[in-house]
Amino acid sequence: MLIARNVEIYVKSGYQFQPEIVPFQICHFANFVLLFAFALKNKTLQTVAFCFNLPFAMLSIIFADSLENYQTILNWRGMAYIFGHMLIVAITLWGLMTDQIEVDKKSYRNSIIMVVSLFVLSVPINNIFNKLMPDFTANYFYSYRPEGGTPLEWFFNWGKETTLLGMEINIIYIALSALLGIVVLFLFKKIYELYYKFKKSS
């Protein structure tokens, strides 16, 4: 479905290569995290899958923010958005219920480092793509600007876009978004602990 989505984007853009075809979007990242989390039985990736990818995939379904850019969901792009996020949620919850997800202090700490590092790294990546392809906008990990209709717009509006080291960046938005990510990771770590505490007592 992801391949069909990218082909559709490529064709509809007049056979032009654009940033959205490159699988650096946060939902695409989530798919790779799930794949390697279970295949490699990697606790850090399992922690990222449950504590980070799961809540944001759920929010993406609730807000369906990217769908405001589509005239219809009855195409590969729209279906990939809906079913892709549903798949992330379903597989992660399945992994939790079948005891295939492990979260401990070390994996939690590593997951914070991994998520924040990738988020910060996406800033120069977005800027590079935007300079190479000025007709399109790269917005990997939503570090360039938030999608319309999401709470992240508040963070963006509280800050101001500026140029730093040749890059366009909203420092307040980046800092608050990174902090939000850390808070979400913490909250879902607690949810994980409560789930297993309840499971053991029942």
Side-chain angles (χ1 to χ4, degrees):
M1 187 174 288
L2 178 60
I3 294 173
R5 165 198 179 273
N6 287 346
V7 170
E8 182 179 72
I9 292 172
Y10 179 68
V11 171
K12 288 190 174 182
S13 65
Y15 302 97
Q16 297 183 74
F17 187 80
Q18 58 173 291
E20 198 169 348
I21 294 175
V22 182
F24 288 168
Q25 288 90 345
I26 195 167
C27 54
H28 299 162
F29 162 75
N31 289 322
F32 290 113
V33 166
L34 281 174
L35 173 63
F36 292 112
F38 294 124
L40 303 178
K41 297 182 179 179
N42 185 290
K43 288 185 181 180
T44 297
L45 294 179
Q46 291 170 6
T47 302
V48 172
F50 180 78
C51 297
F52 183 76
N53 293 342
L54 174 63
F56 284 104
M58 292 170 66
L59 284 174
S60 292
I61 295 172
I62 293 170
F63 285 99
D65 49 282
S66 291
L67 293 181
E68 71 174 12
N69 300 318
Y70 305 166
Q71 293 181 343
T72 176
I73 64 169
L74 300 178
N75 53 31
W76 286 111
R77 193 177 179 186
M79 288 188 291
Y81 180 91
I82 293 294
F83 291 112
H85 287 92
M86 289 175 64
L87 193 63
I88 292 169
V89 172
I91 291 177
T92 305
L93 291 177
W94 169 80
L96 177 69
M97 291 185 288
T98 55
D99 298 326
Q100 296 189 63
I101 290 180
E102 294 184 64
V103 178
D104 56 28
K105 290 182 179 179
K106 183 179 179 181
S107 69
Y108 170 66
R109 183 176 64 252
N110 289 341
S111 69
I112 291 177
I113 295 172
M114 179 180 176
V115 169
V116 173
S117 297
L118 287 171
F119 181 64
V120 173
L121 184 61
S122 69
V123 174
I125 291 175
N126 283 331
N127 275 270
I128 290 170
F129 272 93
N130 288 335
K131 288 179 180 178
L132 292 175
M133 305 176 190
D135 293 334
F136 302 99
T137 300
N139 194 21
Y140 305 126
F141 276 70
Y142 298 114
S143 64
Y144 186 66
R145 59 171 49 93
E147 285 282 358
T150 65
L152 290 178
E153 280 191 305
W154 299 336
F155 296 164
F156 189 82
N157 292 332
W158 290 342
K160 183 179 180 180
E161 286 186 283
T162 186
T163 301
L164 179 66
L165 300 176
M167 299 183 296
E168 291 184 29
I169 183 173
N170 185 323
I171 297 175
I172 297 297
Y173 170 65
I174 294 297
L176 291 176
S177 296
L179 180 60
L180 175 63
I182 293 172
V183 170
V184 170
L185 281 161
F186 174 77
L187 290 175
F188 271 75
K189 175 179 178 289
K190 291 301 178 183
I191 290 173
Y192 173 88
E193 292 171 350
L194 287 172
Y195 169 79
Y196 272 99
K197 185 177 181 180
F198 175 78
K199 189 174 181 179
K200 288 178 181 178
S201 63
S202 60

